Amino acid sequence: MRPGEARVRVVAEDWRSITYEAEFTQSNGERVVRRYQCALPKAIALRRLRATYIVGLWHEVDGASCYHVRQVVSPILSSGDEAARDDAVLVARALVDMERRATCGATVDSLQVYTVERAVDWQAL
């Protein structure tokens, strides 16, 4: 990356906000990383809340069950309920694979779904 150029990526998001990380190199060669959290306007946040799902996944590790839960905003806010649920499961599987494969061996193929609930309907047991 040349001085003055920045690489920006999404590092976290939920129904209320999106957090971006900007990485750039200063003219003296120093690498700088900054995070910016952007609150979403109320109308968009409420729409995203309705499209947010709690996805519970599990897989076997050495004869034991390993559980993972992710809160996922369906990537297409205008999808119907069944398609949004499927999209949320797909995203949750990818996140767990990316975040936990090295720790517990979770992969997209090994993860099984045990629950998919809208966040607005979620009630902890």
Side-chain angles (χ1 to χ4, degrees):
M1 200 172 340
R2 293 187 308 235
E5 292 181 351
R7 184 177 342 179
V8 179
R9 65 186 183 104
V10 174
V11 292
E13 69 175 291
D14 59 23
W15 62 272
R16 294 173 295 227
S17 66
I18 299 174
T19 303
Y20 298 95
E21 183 177 86
E23 177 184 341
F24 59 95
T25 304
Q26 294 182 330
S27 58
N28 65 1
E30 180 183 354
R31 182 176 159 262
V32 178
V33 178
R34 298 271 195 268
R35 286 196 175 195
Y36 304 94
Q37 185 177 41
C38 299
L40 297 169
K42 185 177 179 178
I44 293 172
L46 291 174
R47 194 165 162 212
R48 285 172 58 100
L49 175 60
R50 288 189 295 277
T52 298
Y53 291 85
I54 306 300
V55 180
L57 305 164
W58 72 276
H59 65 104
E60 259 189 47
V61 180
D62 299 329
S65 296
C66 183
Y67 292 88
H68 304 272
V69 177
R70 295 294 181 274
Q71 178 178 295
V72 177
V73 178
S74 180
I76 302 172
L77 298 180
S78 61
S79 292
D81 188 51
E82 194 61 35
R85 293 168 71 84
D86 291 345
D87 290 346
V89 168
L90 183 64
V91 170
R93 280 184 166 144
L95 286 171
V96 172
D97 183 315
M98 187 175 62
E99 297 167 355
R100 304 298 296 174
R101 180 185 282 220
T103 304
C104 66
T107 66
V108 168
D109 294 328
S110 69
L111 291 163
Q112 301 296 315
V113 178
Y114 70 87
T115 192
V116 181
E117 297 281 336
R118 283 184 178 270
V120 293
D121 299 331
W122 177 258
Q123 292 183 12
L125 299 176

